[in-house]
Amino acid sequence: MSKAVSIWVDSHRQRLLDELFELIRIPSVSTLPEHVPDVARAAAFTADKLRAAGLENVEIIPTDGHPLVYADWLHAPGKPTVLCYGHYDVQPPDPLDLWVSPPFEPELRNGNIYARGAVDDKGQFYMHVKAIEALFAVHGKLPVNVKVLIEGEEEIGGKSISKFVPLNKAKLAADVALVSDTALYAEGLPTLCIGLRGLVYMEIVAQGPSRDLHSGLYGGAAPNAVYGIIELLSKFKDADGRILVPGIYDDVVDPAPEELASWQSLPFSEAAMLRDEVGAASLTGEPDRSVLERVWSRPTMEVHGIAGGFTGAGAKTVIPATATAKVSFRLVPNQKPEAVVAAVKAFVEAHSPKGVVCTVNVLSHGPGLLVNPNHPAIEVAAAAFAEMMGRPTVFTRSGGSIPIVGEFHEQLGIPTILMGLGLPDDGLHSPNEKFKLANYYLGIETVAHFLEMYGD
Ligand code: BES
Ligand code: MN
Ligand code: MN
């Protein structure tokens, strides 16, 4: 590995941290309209730092939603081109009262940066920016051609980038994409993620009576929208977590026996997962599937929230006219989002309770993804990671989704290296999200090392 990059990182530790803190302090919550100016500030900050790192053609590209940030450096003739991707937007920080320190005031405690976006994805995409800066600083040039594309809508489904990519295939042409937005399988274990689930996110709106009604005068005869949506939702899965929507498993491809065997050799403790990550009385789901299979290679349906009726203090006797549920389906590779949407719509129509009209609005959808671990670029990444951490790299999947990665494959025809340095208990999307500071520095060195090795 490059001693020079390592020395550079060492001698810039404080500045590398200060800059990341500055980025984290910008509350770029993409889903909340009141944060639009903050999201724009995060885009501008990102563009400035890409320019300062030494990249050229830096652009803030307006979209119908939040801007994209692009930059490149294409002066390594004969060398491959790497497309670095990340997202500068973050999830909302609520519930605020559970944070030990304020979500947008990063705090260093026991070796971790605590803040919203620390690991997802500001701390991680910023590793790319700083790796590029380090390489320019020590070599005066980059070992490969580099294009950088950072979006501000990943946490809300990535609509704008998915319009942009197919219209800009030549601009984005590359040999491989590099994304740091995933986690190590375990502390100290170099990990490349080779599978992501896709996601179909929808809102189901139930309409019962035309207005809220007195529950004494009409109860027993009038339909109730909140109870109606509960009845409908309860039909989606059986007690073992199997989804009951006809056709939903049609395109599911089980992992090959070798891949399943490799998962069995990963260190895994259900008790530790329960205690350190989930914090419930027990895990749930398909009893005939291992926990890793359930979250990595099986579809799932989740309810994120139900709104409707009276939820204030005290009591109000009312039959609610409307109710809304936020629902999503995680898809595994080879499942088609459009087919899932159609199957769910038919299911909702068939199972809407009497007197309640249920409509489905799809908010976003993206396919799952599987990367070929034998692709030469993945092999170089695995070797670089292994050298940095002194152990062989493991290949895992993740149950999470990064919508645009599927389109890098479909539209640009390139594989993606998912080289993330988060940890399983980082609490992304949760209160007290964290990023291990040592992994931030290690990530900068690892990304730089990969680019150097890939250039050779
Ligand atoms: N970085 C995560 C996804 C992730 C985390 C993948 C850990 C693998 C390991 C990403 O920012 C995310 O949260 N994605 C959303 C996508 C959705 C909002 C469209 C998700 O998975 O819910
Ligand atoms: Mn992310
Ligand atoms: Mn996220």
Side-chain angles (χ1 to χ4, degrees):
M1 63 209 80
S2 165
K3 198 125 207 284
V5 167
S6 201
I7 291 168
W8 186 91
V9 169
D10 252 345
S11 56
H12 291 82
R13 272 174 196 269
Q14 191 58 48
R15 176 168 69 80
L16 294 172
L17 185 61
D18 292 343
E19 285 180 18
L20 176 56
F21 273 24
E22 204 180 324
L23 173 60
I24 288 173
R25 283 193 192 100
I26 306 171
S28 48
V29 181
S30 50
T31 202
L32 300 176
E34 63 267 33
H35 284 292
V36 166
D38 298 316
V39 177
R41 271 201 297 141
F45 180 97
T46 301
D48 286 347
K49 297 302 181 189
L50 289 170
R51 199 175 294 112
L55 293 168
E56 302 172 346
N57 303 310
V58 181
E59 283 177 77
I60 297 179
I61 303 168
T63 70
D64 292 341
H66 300 301
L68 293 162
V69 182
Y70 175 87
D72 63 28
W73 187 87
L74 306 172
H75 306 295
K79 302 287 187 184
T81 301
V82 177
L83 174 63
C84 296
Y85 161 86
H87 63 95
Y88 64 78
D89 66 320
V90 300
Q91 287 273 331
D94 59 282
L96 286 175
D97 52 319
L98 294 184
W99 284 81
V100 172
S101 51
F104 296 109
E105 191 40 63
E107 192 172 280
L108 207 49
R109 293 196 302 274
N110 42 58
N112 298 310
I113 303 166
Y114 285 88
R116 172 58 83 237
V119 70
D120 186 15
D121 177 39
K122 287 174 172 172
Q124 296 218 72
F125 92 73
Y126 210 62
M127 300 183 315
H128 293 197
V129 184
K130 296 296 106 173
I132 289 165
E133 179 178 339
L135 289 167
F136 274 123
V138 305
H139 303 306
K141 60 180 182 174
L142 297 181
V144 292
N145 301 292
V146 169
K147 298 177 178 179
V148 179
L149 185 62
I150 312 290
E151 72 161 312
E153 291 177 18
E154 195 276 344
E155 299 291 8
I156 50 173
K159 249 198 195 104
S160 297
I161 197 173
S162 81
K163 271 196 205 158
F164 182 82
V165 168
L167 295 174
N168 290 275
K169 288 187 189 179
K171 183 186 179 90
L172 300 175
D175 296 281
V176 70
L178 179 66
V179 176
S180 296
D181 194 21
T182 52
L184 302 177
Y185 181 78
E187 174 107 58
L189 195 58
T191 307
L192 291 179
C193 178
I194 56 165
L196 292 171
R197 289 197 289 191
L199 183 70
V200 173
Y201 198 107
M202 51 182 69
E203 196 173 71
I204 303 178
V205 183
Q207 177 74 51
S210 59
R211 61 197 170 102
D212 288 3
L213 299 171
H214 190 296
S215 70
L217 303 184
Y218 299 96
N224 178 317
V226 172
Y227 197 77
I229 212 152
I230 292 169
E231 272 186 86
L232 170 67
L233 294 176
S234 71
K235 296 192 173 117
F236 269 96
K237 289 194 281 188
D238 69 15
D240 284 335
R242 259 190 89 80
I243 304 169
L244 301 173
V245 176
I248 197 114
Y249 291 101
D250 284 0
D251 295 323
V252 172
V253 177
D254 280 331
E258 306 80 68
E259 192 177 11
L260 283 175
S262 77
W263 296 355
Q264 300 236 291
S265 60
L266 291 168
F268 180 78
S269 153
E270 198 168 317
M273 180 179 175
L274 259 179
R275 189 188 60 231
D276 302 337
E277 298 176 44
V278 177
S282 75
L283 296 179
T284 55
E286 297 171 278
D288 54 332
R289 307 275 175 173
S290 71
V291 172
L292 291 183
E293 276 180 272
R294 289 181 221 164
V295 296
W296 288 356
S297 62
R298 297 293 291 167
T300 180
M301 178 263 191
E302 296 299 336
V303 179
H304 306 290
I306 302 179
F310 177 71
T311 56
K316 179 185 182 192
T317 48
V318 72
I319 295 179
T322 63
T324 303
K326 304 274 186 179
V327 170
S328 79
F329 291 79
R330 293 281 164 176
L331 313 187
V332 298
N334 199 50
Q335 278 187 292
K336 317 275 175 294
E338 297 75 15
V340 169
V341 167
V344 171
K345 283 188 171 168
F347 187 83
V348 167
E349 197 163 322
H351 293 275
S352 293
K354 205 170 166 188
V356 179
V357 176
C358 297
T359 37
V360 174
N361 303 320
V362 177
L363 302 188
S364 75
H365 59 88
L369 171 94
L370 209 50
V371 178
N372 171 11
N374 301 317
H375 187 282
I378 305 283
E379 284 178 349
V380 176
F385 220 156
E387 277 181 30
M388 289 301 304
M389 298 185 76
R391 314 170 54 165
T393 297
V394 298
F395 294 93
T396 63
R397 293 198 198 183
S398 168
S401 310
I402 307 175
I404 199 59
V405 171
E407 311 212 24
F408 289 158
H409 173 77
E410 280 169 26
Q411 300 291 332
L412 304 178
I414 57 173
T416 295
I417 300 166
L418 292 163
M419 181 184 264
L421 281 100
L423 290 174
D425 67 348
D426 276 345
L428 35 176
H429 299 196
S430 299
N432 305 308
E433 173 182 346
K434 67 171 174 67
F435 187 25
K436 187 176 173 179
L437 179 58
N439 283 16
Y440 173 54
Y441 296 126
L442 176 66
I444 297 171
E445 288 187 47
T446 304
V447 167
H449 185 46
F450 162 70
L451 295 175
E452 286 180 330
M453 275 180 78
Y454 194 43
D456 282 342

